[in-house]
Amino acid sequence: MRHFAAHQRANAAFAGLTGGAALSILLVLAVILGDVAINGLPRLSWEFISASPRDGMMAGGIFPAIFGTVLLVLLMIVAVIPVGVLTAVYLFEYARQESFFARAVRSAVYNLSGVPSIVFGLFGVGFFIQFLGGNIDRLFLDGRMMWGQPAILWSALTLAVLTLPVVIVSTEEALRTVPREHREAALALGSTKFEAVFRIVLPQAMPGILTGAILAVARGAGETAPILFTGAAYFLPHLPTHAHDQFMHLGYHVYVLATQSPDIEATRPLLYGTVLVLLLVTVVLNLVAITLRNRLRAGRA
């Protein structure tokens, strides 16, 4: 009886410890969101959302930064989803799991997820801008600089490389949830391997793939370090209209306001308003992906 009571106390203590850890996360999140909402909501207005900055970014709005952030995330998704999904399909459906190549690719993906984001920015400058863009200018534009300089395309590709591990790992997990019997049934009915994967497996794994896209959006929209050198601008009077244009970004806008403003106290309301808008933009992009995922699940039910 005494032994049973000791077990009960140990279970209660462990439940309290784990519950406290979970509660601490909610409290930290609530404090952060509450602080941003209390200080940012008074700044929100139609002019703040729809106008361009003026007076050295001490007044006006942040529309160019909102437009640049949304466009950057969309370009990143277009770049990372096909590469990530195809890589995961190869690793899970075609490659021998214990082969050297498969283990090397998985090891590279796991190591890539642990690289600091600023390193991706330096990689983007060296590979995309100087090597890829510079060679395009030399080969096709007689050395006239167009692609060998910071641009929204290079920032999107840099973020795509950054978020690639998220998409690959989540897609592999989604493929693992599809029963092996479904593949075998498709092959038994005369389907080729390609038809079994792209007509049977991938549609069933699509909600999990979209979950990876949601995680990629959440990380890509908030990352600032990789775009510092690859395309983001302090201030632009126009919106980006070409892939080789620079752009304004909400995260970079926050960084500039917090570190380079001549009057930090005067720009603090603008800073909180920009942070709140960045959170709202991220939530809206995530909600779009979540809605699409739920509709796919409902269509399968």
Side-chain angles (χ1 to χ4, degrees), residues 10 43 50 66 82 84 111 134 138 150 154 194-195 199 204 232 247 261 268 279 288:
R43 183 63 193 183
S50 61
I66 297 174
N111 287 319
R138 280 187 289 274
W154 304 139
F194 175 83
E195 291 171 333
R199 293 187 178 181
Q204 295 186 59
F247 65 103
S261 172
R268 192 178 298 279
L279 292 177
V288 171

Side-chain angles (χ1 to χ4, degrees), residues 30-105:
V31 169
I32 293 174
L33 294 180
D35 182 52
V36 172
I38 291 172
N39 293 285
L41 279 175
R43 183 63 193 183
L44 289 189
S45 66
W46 177 246
E47 181 190 6
F48 182 69
I49 296 174
S50 61
S52 297
R54 65 175 188 273
D55 301 336
M57 296 204 298
M58 300 287 287
I62 56 172
F63 179 71
I66 297 174
F67 182 86
T69 302
V70 174
L71 182 60
L72 176 70
V73 172
L74 294 178
L75 289 174
M76 178 200 73
I77 289 295
V78 170
V80 72
I81 292 297
V83 176
V85 171
L86 290 176
T87 302
V89 167
Y90 172 78
L91 290 175
F92 192 79
E93 300 290 342
Y94 289 93
R96 289 192 296 112
Q97 299 303 305
E98 298 303 322
S99 67
F100 172 78
F101 183 70
R103 286 190 285 119
V105 172

Side-chain angles (χ1 to χ4, degrees), residues 77 81 203 206-211 213-214 284-300:
I77 289 295
I81 292 297
M206 192 55 68
I209 295 172
L210 287 176
T211 298
I214 293 168
V284 169
L285 291 171
N286 283 335
L287 285 177
V288 171
I290 291 172
T291 302
L292 183 58
R293 182 185 62 181
N294 291 340
R295 287 190 176 183
L296 285 173
R297 283 179 174 168
R300 289 174 50 203

Side-chain angles (χ1 to χ4, degrees), residues 23-224:
L23 183 61
S24 66
I25 294 174
L26 291 178
L27 288 176
V28 170
L29 183 62
V31 169
I32 293 174
L33 294 180
D35 182 52
V36 172
I38 291 172
N39 293 285
L41 279 175
R43 183 63 193 183
L44 289 189
S45 66
W46 177 246
E47 181 190 6
F48 182 69
I49 296 174
S50 61
S52 297
R54 65 175 188 273
D55 301 336
M57 296 204 298
M58 300 287 287
I62 56 172
F63 179 71
I66 297 174
F67 182 86
T69 302
V70 174
L71 182 60
L72 176 70
V73 172
L74 294 178
L75 289 174
M76 178 200 73
I77 289 295
V78 170
V80 72
I81 292 297
V83 176
V85 171
L86 290 176
T87 302
V89 167
Y90 172 78
L91 290 175
F92 192 79
E93 300 290 342
Y94 289 93
R96 289 192 296 112
Q97 299 303 305
E98 298 303 322
S99 67
F100 172 78
F101 183 70
R103 286 190 285 119
V105 172
R106 282 200 176 89
S107 177
V109 169
Y110 296 145
N111 287 319
L112 203 61
S113 63
V115 175
S117 57
I118 189 67
V119 176
F120 285 97
L122 299 175
F123 164 78
V125 172
F127 180 74
F128 290 123
I129 296 178
Q130 295 181 348
F131 175 73
L132 192 58
N135 282 318
I136 291 175
D137 290 341
R138 280 187 289 274
L139 291 174
F140 300 104
L141 300 174
D142 296 327
R144 182 167 57 88
M145 183 173 289
M146 177 180 289
W147 296 100
Q149 58 186 353
I152 190 170
L153 176 63
W154 304 139
S155 290
L157 292 179
T158 302
L159 285 181
V161 176
L162 177 93
T163 54
L164 192 58
V166 175
V167 176
I168 292 175
V169 172
S170 60
T171 302
E172 273 206 274
E173 291 301 319
L175 294 173
R176 194 168 284 113
T177 62
V178 180
R180 179 66 61 183
E181 291 78 8
H182 291 193
R183 299 171 176 82
E184 295 172 351
L187 295 174
L189 291 173
S191 300
T192 63
K193 177 78 173 180
F194 175 83
E195 291 171 333
V197 170
F198 284 89
R199 293 187 178 181
I200 304 298
V201 177
L202 278 181
Q204 295 186 59
M206 192 55 68
I209 295 172
L210 287 176
T211 298
I214 293 168
L215 295 174
V217 167
R219 184 170 185 192
E223 282 288 349
T224 303

